[in-house]
Amino acid sequence: MGKVKVGIAGLGRLGKLHANNLAFKIPDAELTAACSIVPAELEYAKEQLGVADVYADYREMLEKADIDAVAIVTTSGEHCWQIEAALDAGKHVFSDKPLGITVEECRTAEAAVERHPELTFFLGFMRRYDPSYAYAKEKIKEGAIGTPYMVKAAGIDPEALAEGAIKFAATSGGIFIDMAIHDIDLMRWFLESDPVEVYAAGATFKHPEFKEAGDDETGAAMYKCENGALGFVHVGRTAAHGYHVETEIVGTEGSLRISPVPEKNLCMIYDKNGAVKECVSGFPERFAESYQLEMAEFIHCVQKGAKPDVTVYDGTKSTQIGFATTKAWKKGGIVKIEY
Amino acid sequence: MGKVKVGIAGLGRLGKLHANNLAFKIPDAELTAACSIVPAELEYAKEQLGVADVYADYREMLEKADIDAVAIVTTSGEHCWQIEAALDAGKHVFSDKPLGITVEECRTAEAAVERHPELTFFLGFMRRYDPSYAYAKEKIKEGAIGTPYMVKAAGIDPEALAEGAIKFAATSGGIFIDMAIHDIDLMRWFLESDPVEVYAAGATFKHPEFKEAGDDETGAAMYKCENGALGFVHVGRTAAHGYHVETEIVGTEGSLRISPVPEKNLCMIYDKNGAVKECVSGFPERFAESYQLEMAEFIHCVQKGAKPDVTVYDGTKSTQIGFATTKAWKKGGIVKIEY
Amino acid sequence: MGKVKVGIAGLGRLGKLHANNLAFKIPDAELTAACSIVPAELEYAKEQLGVADVYADYREMLEKADIDAVAIVTTSGEHCWQIEAALDAGKHVFSDKPLGITVEECRTAEAAVERHPELTFFLGFMRRYDPSYAYAKEKIKEGAIGTPYMVKAAGIDPEALAEGAIKFAATSGGIFIDMAIHDIDLMRWFLESDPVEVYAAGATFKHPEFKEAGDDETGAAMYKCENGALGFVHVGRTAAHGYHVETEIVGTEGSLRISPVPEKNLCMIYDKNGAVKECVSGFPERFAESYQLEMAEFIHCVQKGAKPDVTVYDGTKSTQIGFATTKAWKKGGIVKIEY
Amino acid sequence: MGKVKVGIAGLGRLGKLHANNLAFKIPDAELTAACSIVPAELEYAKEQLGVADVYADYREMLEKADIDAVAIVTTSGEHCWQIEAALDAGKHVFSDKPLGITVEECRTAEAAVERHPELTFFLGFMRRYDPSYAYAKEKIKEGAIGTPYMVKAAGIDPEALAEGAIKFAATSGGIFIDMAIHDIDLMRWFLESDPVEVYAAGATFKHPEFKEAGDDETGAAMYKCENGALGFVHVGRTAAHGYHVETEIVGTEGSLRISPVPEKNLCMIYDKNGAVKECVSGFPERFAESYQLEMAEFIHCVQKGAKPDVTVYDGTKSTQIGFATTKAWKKGGIVKIEY
């Protein structure tokens, strides 16, 4: 198989990022079509990405464009039907996370994936492709920390983004749906077991606007897994130092911690403040390479017929766990998780 | 007031540590008497500490010895009555943690402390006197991280001690009583609020003997505090790298983390394993200075009539929280904490 | 200007690296021709890079190939005449470091560059394009450490490469020519002043084979610069932990240190050895991104007619300094450096 | 032997520090006499140290005081004759570094030490007793880094002390005598070989007052040792972040670095500046424990007749090397070092 021809759906901030990777940084990919309901985004496609074949309608792109695959980077509520439509049209599918925003939707996507075992379906949990996370997984497989039995995760957006998050708070689904989905996926990935119970709570100490919108500024959830392993996830929106994503995996023979200092680069400055590591400003800086690597892996899977590490079921489960966590947080108690 | 004359009760491992500090490292203290039910320990007092005035009976020491104060380092179940007896005998009291092993006992100690406002009562939560913890508290008071609203703590004993812990497991009161009491105290200290709800769980993946003894190898507990702040405590017994005590305080303007790498000293070794920081082997190594500093502070309080930072009520509360956590862990659910 | 068409000269290890970047990772570049005296390398070009237009003769490529630019990655002794020939043929030139191996050669290249101000000449000191080094330079320009007045550098190859280095020792030009050229360039770049005096020494404690070949295993050189600033460069070949490249810039208001721990990624492993950061294995791992970024910058310069940060004179000077250092090392004394 | 009775000579800043250690922190020592030409210091001895037996004349203290040993913490130029006088009076001697300020003086002290093999002579290179340095030495002895063949050292005083240093500059003997003596001693200690050649230079970029006083703000020296090992020492006076003492020992199988971040304690603050380690403010903070440990070791040597690790000859040699370095710096060239 030659270069994989891809049509992108959605050209917002993340869509542009994926589109640029497809257009310029993945040798075996070719970005041949783009679709968006925002005219300016189609202009962008033409001018910045050199994609002439653009569509305002997703189904029309599926029908007419010269594409082997689609990359779905639309708003979360559109993912599932677009996945189904693309697979039924014979296209390989990359979809950004989350899989969907209701379990029913996710089941529809699952069924579509099951109907088309000949096609690649790839779900964009890009953290799994981050070199440090991938290395951690590899080391754990090699036995570096024995059997992993606990994951402690933190994902905290920078204070600089708080204002935007406040605007979005009433409709975001709440902090766990909005922010914890990656941590939940990583917890399952590292522990190789599913959480069956969750306890959660939230707090708002800096921006009362979150509380007023029915949301919280900080969320914490503790999980018990089927095999007895434990999980703890802390999400927040007000990190003063930058974008803080940290994960620790505790095992019987050691622990492995990823990014306790979310350093911007390898510089250490010694100045009047002390010995200072500056930190990354946000996810585009922290995970730039991950986005590129996951897309390269998608293309590789399409070309080779290889199975991605992440499955559609991982997508459904992380959504289910996100909802269960939200329920526990809202009602202030324990929620059992069933799949 | 001149040097404070102290009688020590209990000369086990920790008792010896305190006794040596009193005898040799606290300028304003004099160790003038010792009491133990173990004859060999009294021999130790005479030969190693130069204390000739020794007793097998605690009440006899209170009655006859030339002492201004006692340092109680006996087994936990003896603390409360010994505190009461000493205060009623007009002696200042240093007692190691925990205050007691039942809430009733703790109330007796509280009453004795209240009866003797003229005497110093000092409870040995030595971590508060560790230079790093004390510095953290100071920085937080100065506003370095704004309002603290979350504490994440880990306290993990080295694997080297696991065998001993297994023997002790059936009678230790369980991992939270045995290990989490310091973390609970620190959580309250940093958050300046009391937990009102706890959810807890345990896991055993390496040494099934813990499970068999009704205990667990690892414990995790999540707390909600009266003011809305959150806490997370992780305790364990199998750290491969040494003795891992780590605390993070998250605030509205920043975070402060104490000892993410429990480094043995300031050396970094670059060898075939990579860039390696060796770690402390156990609490005597990690907290040697804290033990000395807390005892110096006790003596200072006695001499100046100053009030210690830790009160008898802190002792009762940490015991109550420890029991509530244990209950949540045992029954597998949420427990409301009342004081 | 559209995509820049590039012909590569030399497809050894580093040549392949550059060729892959040009072929697949630089959006505005197109690798359209390749030249090598090694037939297998031309096969590689055809099969792995998709370059059909290949040459055994460099001048023939210049004459016949459809190229705007050449990327010279041949052995060091070929650089200068190839630079001259390409410029005289109207091609933009990227040449890997060093510029040349004699000062006379370098002067020839300088003259060619001066004859063709309309063409881009780019010298591959890729460390300057490493995100951490580039960030350091930027911070220094912004005044983060005041006036820089001292550079301390270390560049140590991993022990794993020692065997290969031993074979190459007799013909490498010695450890300073072979290894210190990047550090010398960085020293000049950060201090913005040229060294005028050097004192150097070598040592061999592990592999006597280096000494036997007239080389040394470790080299150290100290420099005085025209403006009074100081430099210290330590190069070696036996790092147990990996590939260690570290640079510190000391200034009047602070210091900046790049990569004191040459960490492989963001993982920290806590195991029986302690808290361990694994380290990078060699320059391809450490500087993968730099190679890509410098080539992107070359293409950008060609397209925009922008002037690269590195000039041909930087190339001559680093060669001169390398020779002066070697002379000081060989004779065991001080050498004055004239330009 | 019971407690060692010590008379202290000199009660300036460092004298007070030693006196407090002797009076209060060394179980087996007793501070029984004090001598100073400054009346206020004798008042201090009486009031703060509880030493009633005070002298304005050193020889009178030797003659009349009830002492087994003296601790000499007077100005450097007094050390040697006071050492000689004390030894000849049958007293054990602790002398702070440097041994003396001329080689002739040092020889006198050497002769006195040789005349009294029955007495302990202890030279206060306290860094050797710092837990991290002592640990490094121990690890090296155990073979952790193979054969050590290079030492790189930095000792930089905080900017906060620069003003004071400027006042002292004209009479300090210059930056190498004033600041490099510890680094020189450590270099010899770790390499177990003596430098035979030195090249040195200085620079002044921030405070021209140093230059005006014939001194420099920063000094750098490179050494070749008898066994072929190399050394590099960087001293300075303007560290923005605090007091920076760092040492690296490079060996055939690894490297060992002490204190690359001169951290104040185990706290890491994450705030708007990034991830910040605050640093120690000066030598009293950094080496508090070392001063106590070296004095305890002195007392131990006296009691047991044990030989200290540091000898009088180490004192002479570090002085010789300091002078040779100063000569190289002043004349701008290489100086051969003879002993």
Side-chain angles (χ1 to χ4, degrees):
Chain A
M1 183 178 193
K3 289 201 176 193
V4 177
K5 293 174 192 163
V6 185
I8 195 153
L11 278 165
R13 184 165 62 157
L14 200 51
K16 286 192 178 75
L17 199 160
H18 283 305
N20 275 279
N21 283 338
L22 283 163
F24 305 123
K25 298 189 177 165
I26 317 286
D28 285 343
E30 207 173 335
L31 185 66
T32 55
C35 160
S36 170
I37 53 173
V38 182
E41 291 182 6
L42 298 182
E43 280 311 296
Y44 177 90
K46 287 183 197 163
E47 283 166 28
Q48 304 296 320
L49 302 168
V51 173
D53 190 22
V54 302
Y55 301 86
D57 183 79
Y58 177 73
R59 291 188 192 276
E60 198 186 333
M61 178 173 78
L62 288 182
E63 208 178 308
K64 301 187 180 162
D66 178 22
I67 54 177
D68 305 308
V70 292
I72 299 171
V73 205
T74 50
T75 49
S76 305
E78 312 294 317
H79 292 180
C80 286
W81 75 262
Q82 293 185 337
I83 290 165
E84 185 180 32
L87 290 168
D88 286 345
K91 311 299 181 193
H92 301 281
V93 173
F94 169 96
S95 170
D96 217 303
K97 64 94 213 169
L99 179 59
I101 57 173
T102 69
V103 175
E104 294 65 36
E105 275 179 15
C106 293
R107 297 295 184 210
T108 313
E110 285 183 3
V113 170
E114 286 165 5
R115 273 200 303 281
H116 298 286
E118 78 286 5
L119 295 172
T120 295
F121 173 74
F122 194 103
L123 189 60
F125 279 119
M126 88 292 177
R127 285 195 199 167
R128 294 196 186 193
Y129 298 90
D130 173 69
S132 297
Y133 279 96
Y135 189 79
K137 182 69 180 176
E138 207 50 49
K139 292 292 287 186
I140 291 170
K141 274 188 197 161
E142 290 167 10
I145 61 165
T147 305
Y149 64 81
M150 189 171 190
V151 161
K152 297 193 278 184
I156 312 170
D157 270 347
E159 172 63 25
L161 298 182
E163 205 180 334
I166 287 167
K167 284 181 194 147
F168 187 55
T171 58
S172 74
I175 189 163
F176 290 105
I177 294 293
D178 194 33
M179 299 197 59
I181 210 89
H182 284 294
D183 301 298
I184 287 168
D185 179 59
L186 292 176
M187 178 176 67
R188 292 182 59 249
W189 190 46
F190 284 121
L191 294 177
E192 298 189 351
S193 183
D194 290 325
V196 292
E197 182 177 309
V198 59
Y199 171 80
T204 298
F205 275 73
K206 183 164 181 154
H207 299 294
E209 298 91 331
F210 284 110
K211 205 65 146 189
E212 288 156 17
D215 199 359
D216 256 320
E217 195 178 76
T218 289
M222 192 174 139
Y223 299 90
K224 285 188 204 170
C225 293
E226 206 170 5
N227 71 349
L230 301 170
F232 177 71
V233 172
H234 163 208
V235 285
R237 309 188 197 265
T238 64
H241 57 293
Y243 174 61
H244 191 110
V245 169
E246 176 178 356
T247 310
E248 180 173 3
I249 306 105
V250 185
T252 49
E253 308 300 330
S255 292
L256 206 154
R257 201 175 287 195
I258 302 146
S259 201
V261 174
E263 56 186 30
K264 195 179 213 43
N265 51 43
L266 299 172
C267 295
M268 163 82 87
I269 301 174
Y270 298 78
D271 64 14
K272 65 181 162 38
N273 296 308
V276 182
K277 293 287 295 187
E278 296 189 31
C279 295
V280 292
S281 59
F283 75 85
E285 182 177 359
R286 172 65 183 86
F287 289 113
E289 198 175 358
S290 314
Y291 284 111
Q292 190 175 330
L293 290 168
E294 71 166 357
M295 196 56 86
E297 178 63 11
F298 168 60
I299 297 300
H300 169 82
C301 287
V302 170
Q303 288 188 313
K304 306 294 176 192
K307 285 290 156 206
D309 184 54
V310 199
T311 68
V312 68
Y313 310 105
D314 290 322
T316 306
K317 284 186 174 171
S318 61
T319 298
Q320 286 176 302
I321 299 164
F323 277 113
T325 308
T326 300
K327 193 172 159 194
W329 162 51
K330 290 285 187 190
K331 76 164 198 180
I334 294 170
V335 168
K336 299 285 178 187
I337 311 172
E338 275 157 35
Y339 298 95
Chain B
M1 184 176 191
K3 289 202 175 193
V4 177
K5 293 173 191 163
V6 185
I8 194 153
L11 280 164
R13 184 165 62 154
L14 200 51
K16 286 193 178 73
L17 199 161
H18 283 305
N20 276 279
N21 282 339
L22 283 164
F24 305 123
K25 297 187 178 167
I26 317 287
D28 285 344
E30 208 173 335
L31 186 67
T32 55
C35 159
S36 170
I37 53 173
V38 182
E41 292 181 6
L42 298 182
E43 280 312 296
Y44 177 90
K46 286 183 199 164
E47 282 165 28
Q48 304 296 320
L49 303 168
V51 173
D53 190 24
V54 302
Y55 301 86
D57 183 79
Y58 176 73
R59 291 187 192 276
E60 197 185 335
M61 178 172 79
L62 288 183
E63 206 177 312
K64 299 187 180 161
D66 178 20
I67 54 177
D68 304 308
V70 291
I72 298 172
V73 206
T74 50
T75 50
S76 305
E78 312 294 317
H79 291 181
C80 285
W81 75 261
Q82 292 185 337
I83 290 166
E84 186 181 31
L87 290 168
D88 286 344
K91 310 299 181 192
H92 301 281
V93 173
F94 170 96
S95 171
D96 217 303
K97 64 94 211 170
L99 177 59
I101 57 171
T102 69
V103 175
E104 293 66 37
E105 273 179 16
C106 293
R107 296 296 183 208
T108 312
E110 285 183 4
V113 170
E114 286 165 5
R115 271 201 305 281
H116 298 286
E118 78 286 5
L119 295 172
T120 295
F121 173 73
F122 195 103
L123 190 60
F125 279 119
M126 88 292 179
R127 283 195 200 168
R128 294 195 185 194
Y129 297 91
D130 173 68
S132 297
Y133 279 96
Y135 189 79
K137 182 69 179 176
E138 207 51 50
K139 292 292 286 187
I140 291 170
K141 275 189 195 161
E142 290 168 10
I145 62 165
T147 304
Y149 64 80
M150 189 172 189
V151 162
K152 298 193 276 184
I156 313 170
D157 271 347
E159 172 64 26
L161 299 182
E163 205 180 335
I166 287 167
K167 283 181 195 148
F168 185 55
T171 58
S172 74
I175 190 164
F176 290 105
I177 294 292
D178 193 34
M179 298 196 62
I181 210 89
H182 284 295
D183 301 296
I184 288 168
D185 179 60
L186 292 175
M187 177 176 68
R188 292 183 59 249
W189 190 47
F190 284 121
L191 294 176
E192 298 190 352
S193 182
D194 289 326
V196 292
E197 182 178 308
V198 59
Y199 171 79
T204 299
F205 276 73
K206 183 163 180 156
H207 299 294
E209 297 91 330
F210 283 110
K211 205 65 144 188
E212 288 156 17
D215 199 0
D216 256 320
E217 194 177 78
T218 290
M222 191 173 139
Y223 299 90
K224 285 189 205 171
C225 293
E226 206 169 6
N227 71 349
L230 302 171
F232 178 70
V233 171
H234 164 208
V235 285
R237 310 188 196 263
T238 63
H241 57 293
Y243 174 61
H244 191 109
V245 170
E246 176 178 358
T247 310
E248 180 173 4
I249 306 106
V250 184
T252 50
E253 308 299 331
S255 291
L256 207 154
R257 201 175 286 193
I258 302 145
S259 201
V261 174
E263 55 186 33
K264 195 182 212 43
N265 51 42
L266 299 171
C267 295
M268 163 83 88
I269 301 174
Y270 299 78
D271 64 14
K272 65 181 164 36
N273 295 307
V276 183
K277 294 286 295 187
E278 296 188 33
C279 295
V280 292
S281 60
F283 74 85
E285 183 178 0
R286 172 66 183 85
F287 290 113
E289 199 175 358
S290 314
Y291 284 111
Q292 191 175 331
L293 290 169
E294 71 165 358
M295 196 56 87
E297 178 63 13
F298 168 60
I299 296 300
H300 170 83
C301 287
V302 170
Q303 287 188 313
K304 306 293 177 191
K307 285 288 155 207
D309 184 54
V310 200
T311 69
V312 68
Y313 309 105
D314 290 324
T316 306
K317 284 185 174 173
S318 61
T319 298
Q320 287 176 300
I321 299 164
F323 277 112
T325 307
T326 300
K327 193 172 158 194
W329 162 51
K330 290 285 186 189
K331 78 165 195 177
I334 294 170
V335 168
K336 299 286 179 187
I337 311 172
E338 276 156 34
Y339 299 95
Chain C
M1 182 176 193
K3 289 202 176 192
V4 177
K5 293 173 191 163
V6 185
I8 194 152
L11 280 165
R13 184 165 61 155
L14 201 51
K16 286 193 178 76
L17 199 160
H18 283 305
N20 276 279
N21 283 338
L22 284 163
F24 305 123
K25 298 190 177 165
I26 317 287
D28 285 342
E30 209 173 334
L31 185 68
T32 54
C35 159
S36 170
I37 54 173
V38 182
E41 292 181 4
L42 298 182
E43 280 311 296
Y44 176 89
K46 287 183 198 164
E47 282 165 28
Q48 304 295 320
L49 302 168
V51 174
D53 190 23
V54 301
Y55 301 86
D57 183 78
Y58 177 72
R59 292 187 192 276
E60 197 185 335
M61 178 172 79
L62 289 181
E63 207 178 309
K64 300 187 181 163
D66 178 21
I67 54 176
D68 306 308
V70 291
I72 299 171
V73 206
T74 50
T75 50
S76 305
E78 311 295 317
H79 292 181
C80 286
W81 74 262
Q82 293 185 336
I83 290 165
E84 186 181 31
L87 290 167
D88 286 345
K91 311 299 181 193
H92 302 281
V93 173
F94 169 97
S95 170
D96 217 304
K97 65 94 212 170
L99 178 60
I101 56 171
T102 70
V103 175
E104 294 65 37
E105 274 180 13
C106 293
R107 297 294 184 210
T108 314
E110 284 182 4
V113 171
E114 286 164 7
R115 272 200 305 281
H116 299 285
E118 78 286 5
L119 295 171
T120 296
F121 173 74
F122 194 103
L123 190 60
F125 279 120
M126 88 292 178
R127 283 194 199 169
R128 295 195 186 194
Y129 297 91
D130 172 68
S132 297
Y133 279 96
Y135 189 80
K137 182 69 179 176
E138 207 51 49
K139 292 293 287 187
I140 291 170
K141 274 188 196 162
E142 290 168 9
I145 62 165
T147 304
Y149 65 81
M150 188 171 191
V151 162
K152 299 194 276 185
I156 312 169
D157 270 347
E159 172 64 25
L161 299 183
E163 204 180 335
I166 287 168
K167 283 181 194 149
F168 187 56
T171 58
S172 75
I175 189 163
F176 291 104
I177 294 291
D178 193 31
M179 299 198 59
I181 211 89
H182 285 294
D183 301 298
I184 288 167
D185 178 61
L186 292 176
M187 177 176 69
R188 292 183 59 250
W189 190 46
F190 284 121
L191 295 176
E192 297 189 352
S193 183
D194 289 327
V196 292
E197 182 177 308
V198 60
Y199 172 79
T204 299
F205 275 73
K206 182 163 181 156
H207 298 295
E209 296 92 330
F210 283 110
K211 205 65 147 188
E212 288 156 17
D215 199 0
D216 256 319
E217 194 178 76
T218 290
M222 190 173 138
Y223 299 90
K224 285 188 204 171
C225 292
E226 207 170 5
N227 71 350
L230 302 170
F232 177 71
V233 172
H234 163 208
V235 285
R237 309 189 197 263
T238 64
H241 57 295
Y243 174 60
H244 191 110
V245 169
E246 176 178 357
T247 310
E248 179 173 5
I249 308 105
V250 184
T252 50
E253 309 299 330
S255 291
L256 207 155
R257 201 174 286 194
I258 301 146
S259 199
V261 174
E263 55 185 30
K264 195 180 213 42
N265 52 42
L266 299 172
C267 295
M268 162 83 87
I269 301 174
Y270 298 78
D271 65 13
K272 65 180 165 33
N273 296 309
V276 183
K277 293 285 297 185
E278 296 188 33
C279 296
V280 292
S281 59
F283 75 85
E285 182 178 0
R286 171 66 183 85
F287 290 113
E289 198 175 358
S290 314
Y291 284 110
Q292 190 175 331
L293 290 168
E294 72 165 356
M295 196 56 86
E297 178 64 11
F298 169 59
I299 296 299
H300 170 82
C301 288
V302 169
Q303 287 189 312
K304 307 293 176 192
K307 284 287 157 208
D309 184 55
V310 199
T311 69
V312 68
Y313 310 105
D314 290 322
T316 306
K317 284 185 173 173
S318 60
T319 298
Q320 287 176 301
I321 299 164
F323 277 112
T325 308
T326 300
K327 194 171 158 194
W329 161 51
K330 290 286 187 190
K331 77 165 197 179
I334 293 170
V335 168
K336 300 285 179 186
I337 311 171
E338 275 156 36
Y339 299 94
Chain D
M1 182 178 193
K3 289 201 175 193
V4 177
K5 293 174 191 162
V6 184
I8 194 152
L11 279 164
R13 184 164 63 155
L14 201 51
K16 286 192 178 75
L17 199 161
H18 283 305
N20 276 279
N21 283 338
L22 283 164
F24 305 123
K25 297 188 177 167
I26 316 287
D28 284 343
E30 207 173 336
L31 186 68
T32 55
C35 158
S36 171
I37 55 173
V38 182
E41 292 182 4
L42 297 182
E43 279 312 296
Y44 177 90
K46 286 183 197 163
E47 283 165 27
Q48 304 296 321
L49 302 169
V51 174
D53 191 23
V54 302
Y55 302 85
D57 184 79
Y58 176 74
R59 292 189 191 275
E60 197 185 334
M61 178 172 79
L62 289 181
E63 206 177 311
K64 299 186 180 163
D66 179 21
I67 54 176
D68 305 309
V70 292
I72 299 172
V73 205
T74 50
T75 49
S76 305
E78 312 294 317
H79 292 181
C80 285
W81 74 261
Q82 293 185 336
I83 290 166
E84 186 181 29
L87 290 167
D88 286 345
K91 311 298 181 192
H92 301 281
V93 173
F94 170 96
S95 170
D96 217 303
K97 65 94 213 168
L99 178 59
I101 56 172
T102 70
V103 175
E104 294 65 37
E105 273 179 16
C106 292
R107 297 294 184 211
T108 314
E110 285 183 2
V113 170
E114 286 165 4
R115 272 201 304 282
H116 298 285
E118 78 287 6
L119 295 171
T120 296
F121 173 73
F122 194 102
L123 190 60
F125 279 120
M126 89 291 179
R127 283 195 200 169
R128 295 196 186 193
Y129 297 91
D130 172 68
S132 297
Y133 279 96
Y135 189 79
K137 183 68 178 176
E138 207 51 48
K139 291 292 287 188
I140 291 170
K141 274 189 196 161
E142 289 167 10
I145 61 165
T147 304
Y149 64 81
M150 188 172 191
V151 162
K152 298 193 278 186
I156 312 169
D157 270 348
E159 171 64 26
L161 298 182
E163 205 179 334
I166 287 167
K167 284 182 192 146
F168 186 55
T171 57
S172 74
I175 190 164
F176 290 105
I177 294 292
D178 194 33
M179 297 197 61
I181 211 89
H182 285 294
D183 301 298
I184 288 167
D185 178 61
L186 291 176
M187 177 176 69
R188 292 182 59 250
W189 190 45
F190 284 121
L191 294 176
E192 298 189 351
S193 182
D194 289 326
V196 293
E197 182 177 309
V198 59
Y199 171 79
T204 298
F205 275 73
K206 182 163 183 158
H207 299 294
E209 298 91 330
F210 284 110
K211 205 66 146 186
E212 288 156 17
D215 198 0
D216 256 320
E217 195 178 76
T218 291
M222 191 174 138
Y223 299 91
K224 285 188 205 171
C225 292
E226 206 169 6
N227 71 349
L230 301 171
F232 177 71
V233 172
H234 163 207
V235 284
R237 310 188 197 263
T238 64
H241 58 293
Y243 175 61
H244 191 110
V245 169
E246 176 178 357
T247 311
E248 180 173 4
I249 307 106
V250 184
T252 49
E253 308 299 331
S255 292
L256 205 155
R257 200 175 286 194
I258 301 146
S259 200
V261 174
E263 55 185 32
K264 195 180 214 41
N265 52 41
L266 300 172
C267 295
M268 163 82 87
I269 301 174
Y270 298 78
D271 64 14
K272 64 180 163 38
N273 296 308
V276 183
K277 293 287 296 187
E278 296 188 32
C279 295
V280 291
S281 59
F283 74 85
E285 182 177 359
R286 171 66 183 87
F287 289 113
E289 199 174 357
S290 315
Y291 284 111
Q292 191 174 331
L293 290 168
E294 72 166 358
M295 196 57 85
E297 178 64 11
F298 168 59
I299 296 300
H300 170 81
C301 287
V302 169
Q303 287 188 314
K304 308 292 176 192
K307 283 290 156 206
D309 184 53
V310 199
T311 69
V312 69
Y313 308 106
D314 290 322
T316 306
K317 283 185 174 173
S318 61
T319 298
Q320 286 176 302
I321 299 164
F323 277 113
T325 308
T326 300
K327 192 171 160 195
W329 161 52
K330 290 286 187 191
K331 77 164 196 178
I334 294 171
V335 169
K336 299 285 179 188
I337 311 171
E338 275 156 34
Y339 298 95

